[in-house]
C-alpha cells in the first residue's frame, strides 16, 4: 500500500552531479493532468494570490512572510492537504509551509485555508528541491515532514526515491540546530531504505529509543489520515522515523 498522491513515472535527464539537486535530471514525481473540482479551482484562482509562493519570489525572510517569529514546519508532498490543514488549525502558534506539485491538492488545500480562516500556512506549487535550495534560508526551519512519499518499489527505480544522501544533507542545512526531520512510510522496504540513508547521514541523531530503534511509535501530533486509518484496519504497517539535527 502506498499513498496515491504521487503516481506515475518520473523523467530522467543528462545533467551532471555538480548541478543543483533539482536540476540533476531525476525526479521523484511526475505531474499528471487531473480533473479539478469547483472548490479546487477556486483555491487556485481566488486564494492563491494571498497564500501562494513561487521560486521567482526568491529567498524568503520568514519573519516578514508570516509577520511574526514562530516555530516553522515545512511539509514536502502534502497530497490533498488533509494532514497539513489539520496541523495548521490545531497549532495556530506555528507557521507552516507546504510544498506540492499537483494542482488538485494545492487547490483543495487553499480552499480549506480560506474557509477555515487560517493565516499560518503558505504554499509552493514547485519542485521541493528547488524550494529548499533557492527559497528557504539555512537554519530557518524547526521541522521538515515527509509523509508517505512514493516508494518507487522496483529496484531499477530506487534512484527516483526522494530520500537520498544528497537530499537529506540539504534538509539538514535548512533545519535549525536541534530541528527534526520526520519521515513516515507504509512500505517496510522503503522504511529500511530511509533508516539506512539517515543513519549514514552526518549531523543527524536518531530520536528513537533502543527498544524501537530505528523507528519511533507513531507520534500523536502526526494526524491520522483516512488513507492510513484504512491501512490500519487492513493490518498494514506504518513506520515513523524522526532524526534531530545535532551538528
Amino acid at each position: 500500500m502506498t499513498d496515491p498522491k504521487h503516481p506515475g513515472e518520473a523523467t530522467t535527464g543528462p545533467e551532471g552531479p555538480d548541478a543543483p539537486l533539482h536540476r540533476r535530471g531525476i525526479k521523484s514525481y511526475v505531474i499528471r493532468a487531473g480533473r479539478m473540482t469547483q472548490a479546487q479551482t477556486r483555491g487556485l484562482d481566488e486564494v492563491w494570490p494571498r497564500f501562494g509562493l513561487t521560486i521567482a519570489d526568491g529567498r524568503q525572510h520568514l519573519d516578514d512572510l508570516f509577520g511574526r517569529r514562530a516555530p516553522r514546519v515545512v511539509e514536502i508532498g502534502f497530497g490533498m492537504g488533509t494532514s497539513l490543514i489539520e496541523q495548521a488549525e490545531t497549532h495556530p502558534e506555528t507557521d507552516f509551509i507546504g510544498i506540492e506539485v499537483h494542482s488538485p491538492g494545492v487547490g483543495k488545500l487553499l480552499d480549506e485555508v480560506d474557509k477555515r480562516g487560517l493565516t499560518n500556512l503558505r504554499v509552493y506549487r514547485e519542485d521541493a528541491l528547488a524550494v529548499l535550495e533557492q527559497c528557504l534560508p539555512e537554519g530557518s526551519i524547526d521541522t521538515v515532514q515527509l509523509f508517505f512519499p512514493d516508494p518507487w518499489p522496483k529496484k531499477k527505480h530506487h534512484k527516483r526515491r526522494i530520500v537520498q544522501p544528497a537530499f537529506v544533507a540539504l534538509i539538514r542545512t535548512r533545519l535549525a540546530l536541534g530541528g527534526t526531520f520526520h519521515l513516515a512510510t507504509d512500505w517496510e522496504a522503503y522504511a529500511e531504505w530511509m533508516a539506512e540513508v539517515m543513519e549514514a547521514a552526518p549531523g543527524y541523531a536518531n530520536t528513537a529509543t533502543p527498544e524501537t530503534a530505528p523507528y519511533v511509535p507513531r507520534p500523536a501530533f502526526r494526524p491520522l489520515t483516512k488513507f492510513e486509518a484504512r491501512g490500519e484496519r487492513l493490518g498494514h504497517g506504518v513506520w515513523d522515523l524522526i532524526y534531530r539535527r545535532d551538528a
Side-chain angles (χ1 to χ4, degrees):
M1 178 183 70
T2 184
D3 192 335
K5 65 188 181 185
H6 297 313
E9 296 296 319
T11 58
T12 60
E15 299 221 35
D18 293 332
L21 281 176
H22 71 281
R23 291 176 52 212
R24 289 186 190 167
I26 297 174
K27 294 183 179 180
S28 62
Y29 66 88
V30 64
I31 299 177
R32 287 191 171 184
R35 181 175 297 177
M36 298 281 291
T37 67
Q38 185 175 357
Q40 291 164 358
T41 300
R42 174 185 173 273
L44 291 176
D45 291 346
E46 299 180 18
V47 188
W48 174 267
R50 285 183 283 146
F51 298 103
L53 300 169
T54 70
I55 298 295
D57 295 327
R59 187 80 65 191
Q60 295 291 340
H61 299 280
L62 298 183
D63 289 356
D64 294 339
L65 178 65
F66 288 98
R68 64 178 181 175
R69 182 180 294 273
R72 304 269 156 70
V73 175
V74 171
E75 182 163 330
I76 297 172
F78 57 75
M80 299 306 289
T82 303
S83 169
L84 187 54
I85 283 288
E86 182 176 336
Q87 292 177 77
E89 189 169 45
T90 304
H91 300 285
E93 76 286 353
T94 300
D95 293 330
F96 294 84
I97 297 174
I99 308 173
E100 175 60 63
V101 295
H102 296 279
S103 296
V106 174
K108 178 176 173 57
L109 178 104
L110 289 170
D111 182 62
E112 288 295 326
V113 165
D114 186 56
K115 288 178 178 176
R116 302 185 190 205
L118 303 179
T119 59
N120 61 331
L121 200 158
R122 300 293 186 273
V123 182
Y124 281 96
R125 185 174 44 168
E126 304 272 9
D127 181 343
L129 297 177
V131 173
L132 291 168
E133 289 179 330
Q134 300 181 40
C135 302
L136 300 183
E138 294 187 9
S140 64
I141 306 301
D142 295 281
T143 301
V144 174
Q145 300 176 163
L146 181 68
F147 296 156
F148 306 103
D150 194 317
W152 295 104
K154 294 182 180 180
K155 187 174 182 179
K156 65 180 181 179
H157 293 154
H158 285 182
K159 64 183 179 181
R160 296 175 180 171
R161 290 174 169 176
I162 192 170
V163 178
Q164 304 284 350
F167 172 71
V168 302
L170 175 60
I171 293 289
R172 188 181 70 84
T173 66
R174 270 47 190 172
L175 287 172
L177 191 63
T180 56
F181 182 24
H182 183 181
L183 309 91
T185 181
D186 55 343
W187 280 72
E188 186 172 11
Y190 197 18
E192 293 169 352
W193 170 288
M194 289 174 168
E196 181 179 349
V197 172
M198 292 303 302
E199 290 294 324
Y204 284 103
N206 195 334
T207 66
T209 64
E211 292 76 20
T212 64
Y215 311 111
V216 299
R218 177 186 167 275
F221 57 78
R222 179 170 69 74
L224 182 68
T225 65
K226 291 181 180 179
F227 171 81
E228 187 180 353
R230 176 180 177 273
E232 285 190 349
R233 291 194 298 271
L234 295 173
H236 298 149
V238 172
W239 292 266
D240 284 82
L241 304 96
I242 301 179
Y243 286 80
R244 181 180 64 253
R245 179 185 175 183
D246 65 354

